[in-house]
Amino acid sequence: MAGIEDVAKLAGVSTATVSRALTGKAHVSEKTRQKVEAAAAELGYVASHSAYTLATGRNRNIGVIMPYVDRWFFSTMLESMGSTLIEHGYDLTLYNLSGGKIQREKIFKDFLGRKRVDALILVAVNPTADELEILNRLQRPVLGIGGPIEGARSLAMDDFNAGKLATEHLISLGHRKIANLGGYSGSDLEFNQPNTRTLGHLSALEDAGITQIPAWKMECDYTIPGAFFRTKQLLGDPHNAPTAIFCNSDEMAIGAIMAVKDLGLRVPQDISIVGIDNHDLSEFFGLSTVNQRVREQAKEATVWLLELLNQADDDARENRSEAVEWPVSLMVRSSTARPATEA
């Protein structure tokens, strides 16, 4: 196996220059860097990770903390972040919080203290003041996705306006009998997303002078099966049924579509349905939805964090409150139409 001396000999430079060129340190011209990289590639030489860490104080490893990995939004985020990090020569370490409070404490107090990551991306995780203080003491930049974080940078869509936009679409079509399939109250303790999207929905109804019927506001988990069964309950009374349903997520909307068809009804002729996310299956189901471009959102956040890490000024990498709103757009497909009868 080739060593650093072999690379130096082939490139015609010193071993110190090879080390500087391959670790990204300054004081190496671009021409020399390219020559060293070409020699390393020809010989199949890969710089030692431990040597790189000693030379730079960096691990080229980004930590990702998320509450789940088995749900579409989170797995899609993880896929996009992983691909982006590989493109930039970084590893990814995943910290999954699905084990509850004790597991979360171990991650923040023990695992992150080992300093094996250069920075952290928190997906739908809002660190407590104590947790953020731990990260600040470690001098690790933090970037959140999913909601604003006090004391750290974040990138997130406006869930309130997403819920409002989806409902306004149904109202613009002439619907006034509009139900809502939302998440369980308190099911998202980090940013209260289910309640925020529903509040946007209620705001749109109020602006249009529509009173929400209590029986048409139903809660379930963010899954296809959960929404399937709740939609059947919602449409159980044919004399008091809505003409449209706003679902807080596309997976819920897909479950609702399947329930409507299982009852012998039609989408959108009998019931219009709209969701939020633009799930990979939404186009297949013809689902109208608020598109939050999950993959692009994850990539944008990852690149932003890497740019912070590459700042020469240490102060620029320090955590501070900075919330950037991620833009969303309405995608109208075949699951929504004007109501068949007058409201």
Side-chain angles (χ1 to χ4, degrees):
M1 184 177 292
I4 191 170
E5 295 85 0
D6 302 306
V7 177
K9 183 178 179 180
L10 181 60
V13 298
S14 67
T15 55
T17 299
V18 172
S19 177
R20 288 196 298 270
L22 296 182
T23 56
K25 298 186 78 172
H27 312 301
V28 178
S29 69
E30 184 59 29
K31 181 178 180 180
T32 300
R33 191 186 310 280
Q34 291 177 1
K35 186 164 59 174
V36 170
E37 289 176 349
E42 182 177 336
L43 295 172
Y45 173 78
V46 178
S48 164
H49 179 266
S50 58
Y52 173 83
T53 301
L54 285 172
T56 65
R58 297 281 187 88
N59 297 279
R60 296 195 74 82
N61 186 18
I62 302 299
V64 176
I65 303 178
M66 55 176 55
Y68 314 99
V69 293
D70 59 347
R71 300 187 183 183
W72 175 82
F73 174 83
F74 296 101
S75 61
T76 303
M77 276 268 169
L78 189 61
E79 173 196 25
S80 179
M81 288 186 290
S83 297
T84 304
L85 289 172
I86 287 174
E87 289 175 7
H88 289 81
Y90 278 77
D91 291 317
L92 182 152
T93 296
L94 173 65
Y95 298 101
N96 179 11
L97 300 182
S98 61
K101 182 179 179 180
I102 294 177
Q103 182 171 318
R104 180 170 179 146
E105 289 179 355
K106 285 180 67 68
I107 288 172
F108 277 93
K109 293 182 178 179
D110 298 335
F111 284 79
L112 297 181
R114 298 171 186 175
K115 299 184 178 181
R116 294 184 298 192
V117 299
D118 298 323
L120 285 161
I121 301 176
L122 278 56
V123 183
V125 173
N126 191 5
T128 65
D130 289 341
E131 289 169 345
L132 189 58
E133 177 58 28
I134 290 172
L135 301 178
N136 287 333
R137 286 201 304 267
L138 296 173
Q139 297 181 315
R140 295 297 187 264
V142 175
L143 179 63
I145 301 177
I149 297 176
E150 185 66 32
R153 297 172 177 87
S154 60
L155 176 70
M157 76 170 186
D158 186 331
D159 286 292
F160 179 91
N161 281 320
K164 190 171 185 177
L165 176 61
T167 305
E168 286 174 340
H169 168 59
L170 297 174
I171 294 171
S172 71
L173 291 172
H175 292 279
R176 297 187 66 82
K177 297 179 178 180
I178 305 173
N180 172 225
L181 279 184
Y184 287 116
S185 299
S187 61
D188 182 346
L189 301 179
E190 304 293 335
F191 296 109
N192 200 21
Q193 181 203 78
N195 187 51
T196 303
R197 292 183 180 182
T198 294
L199 287 175
H201 159 73
L202 294 174
S203 176
L205 294 183
E206 183 179 358
D207 290 348
I210 301 172
T211 301
Q212 171 76 73
I213 296 178
W216 291 354
K217 182 180 179 299
M218 305 193 78
E219 296 180 344
C220 62
D221 56 22
Y222 271 45
T223 66
I224 293 174
F228 177 85
F229 291 112
R230 293 299 270 174
T231 302
K232 281 198 166 184
Q233 291 179 308
L234 176 66
L235 301 178
D237 182 359
H239 301 293
N240 188 33
T243 62
I245 306 173
F246 159 58
C247 299
N248 281 35
S249 77
D250 280 0
E251 286 180 279
M252 300 167 95
I254 290 169
I257 289 174
M258 295 175 70
V260 169
K261 293 183 177 180
D262 200 53
L263 289 169
L265 300 173
R266 300 166 299 166
V267 176
Q269 292 89 340
D270 300 309
I271 303 287
S272 285
I273 295 175
V274 65
I276 293 178
D277 281 335
N278 197 28
H279 188 288
D280 289 344
L281 292 175
S282 63
E283 186 172 9
F284 175 80
F285 281 91
L287 178 63
S288 295
T289 184
V290 175
N291 182 15
Q292 65 165 313
R293 296 182 294 129
V294 174
R295 289 181 176 84
E296 292 89 342
Q297 189 177 166
K299 182 174 183 178
E300 183 80 10
T302 304
V303 170
W304 183 14
L305 186 63
L306 294 179
E307 288 175 348
L308 286 174
L309 277 175
N310 291 327
Q311 292 285 338
D313 184 1
D314 289 340
D315 291 339
R317 294 194 295 272
E318 290 184 358
N319 291 316
R320 63 171 183 266
S321 296
E322 182 181 349
V324 175
E325 184 177 319
W326 182 250
V328 297
S329 60
L330 180 69
M331 299 190 71
V332 179
R333 297 191 178 107
S334 60
S335 69
T336 51
R338 297 188 62 82
T341 58
E342 290 297 322

